[in-house]
Amino acid sequence: MLANHTNEEKGIQTDFQNKMTYADYLQLDDILSSQKNITNHHDEMLFIIIHQVQELWIKLILHELRAATEAIENGVMQPAFKMLARVTRIQYQLIQAWEVLSTLTPAEYLEFRDKLGNASGFQSYQYRLMEFALGYKKDSILKIYKKDQEKHDILKKAYHQPSIYDAAIKALARSGFDIHSDILNRDFSKTYEADVSVKKAWKHVYENTSDNWNLYQLAEKMVDVEDALSQWRFRHMKTVERIIGHKVGTGGSSGVGYLKKVLDHRFFPELWDVRTEF
Ligand code: HEM
C-alpha cells in the first residue's frame, strides 16, 4: 500500500534545508527569469527562448571544439573524435530548433519586430567565436564589439588563434605528409584558403584509409561538422525567408540575400574538393 506512505517512507528526499537543490545547482532562478519580454505579444516568448536555447547549445559547441582542437594538437585523436561527434549531435538539435521557430508567422513577428531596433543574431558573439574556431575570420566582425571591451578582447584573442582545421593540417604534417611551410606558419588571423599540398595529403588519406585510419576518421568528423553547419545556415535562411520574406535585416544587411551569400563559405575546402578527385 505504497500510496498511503509518506514521501520519507518512500525514500523521497523532501527536506532541503541545508542541501543544494536541483534549482541551486542549475541556477534556474537566474535562467528562468532571463526571458524579459519588451512587448506584451504572446509570441515574443518563443522568439526569446529560441535564441537563448541556441546560444546555450553554441556555448557547449565552443567548449567541445576548443578541447577537440587541443586534443588534435596533442595527437590524442580518440577523445577528439568523441568530442566532434558530440558537436555534430548538438548541431542537429540546433537544426531541429528551426522547426519550432517556423511556427512564428510573418504577421505575428511583425507585431514586435520594430521593437527589436538593431538587435540581430548578426551580433551573436558566440557564433563568431564558433566561426573563428572553425577558421572563418573577418575583421569587420571585431568592429561590432568595439563598445564592449571585454568581449572585443576575447574575440581578438580567438581571431589570432589557429582553428581546428589548422590543428588537423599540423596532424597531417606530423604524420609525414609534405605540407607547404607557408601553410604551417600562416597568419592564423586570415581565413584559411585551399592549398594544393593539403589537398594532396587528404587525397592520399582517402585513397589509403587503412594506413591512415585516424586522419581519415578526423577528416570525416570534420566534414560532419561543416555539413551540419551548412544545414543550420540553410534552415536559418529559409526560416527567415518564411518569416520576413526579402525585407532587410534588423542588423542592417540585405536579409535573405546576405544569408544566401554566407552559405557559400567553405571552412575545410580540401575536404570537399578531394571528393571529386579520387
Ligand atoms: C524570426 C527569427 C529570425 C529572423 C527574422 C532572423 C533574421 C536574420 C537576418 C536578416 C540576418 C542577417 C543580418 C541582419 O541584417 O540582421 C540574421 C543573421 C543571423 N542570425 Fe538570425 N534571424 C532569426 C532567428 C535567429 C535565431 C533563432 C538565431 C540563433 C541564435 C539566429 C542567429 C543568427 C546569426 C548567428 C546570424 C549571423 C549570420 C552570419 O553573419 O553568417 N537568428 N538573422
Side-chain angles (χ1 to χ4, degrees), residues 227-259:
D227 192 348
L229 185 53
S230 303
Q231 292 184 52
W232 183 91
R233 286 172 145 182
F234 180 78
R235 290 294 293 130
H236 177 229
M237 184 272 291
K238 282 318 267 187
T239 312
V240 171
E241 186 174 20
R242 185 176 169 152
I243 298 175
I244 63 165
H246 288 260
K247 293 189 186 76
V248 293
T250 49
S253 81
S254 60
V256 167
Y258 164 79
L259 295 173

Side-chain angles (χ1 to χ4, degrees), residues 64-75:
E64 300 293 338
L65 274 181
R66 284 185 192 119
T69 305
E70 204 181 309
I72 298 164
E73 276 165 356
N74 295 328

Side-chain angles (χ1 to χ4, degrees), residues 165 168-169 172 177-179 192 195-213 215-216 219-220 223 268-278:
Y165 196 49
I169 292 172
L172 284 171
F177 289 98
D178 186 15
I179 305 294
Y192 179 80
D195 170 79
V196 99
S197 67
V198 174
K199 184 161 90 180
K200 213 169 138 196
W202 286 127
K203 184 167 181 271
H204 185 91
V205 168
Y206 274 84
E207 281 169 348
N208 301 277
T209 54
S210 51
D211 294 341
N212 299 283
W213 197 262
L215 289 167
Y216 171 51
E220 284 297 288
V223 170
F268 316 134
E270 297 89 350
L271 292 180
W272 296 96
D273 291 341
V274 78
R275 298 171 129 72
T276 321
E277 299 234 346
F278 69 96

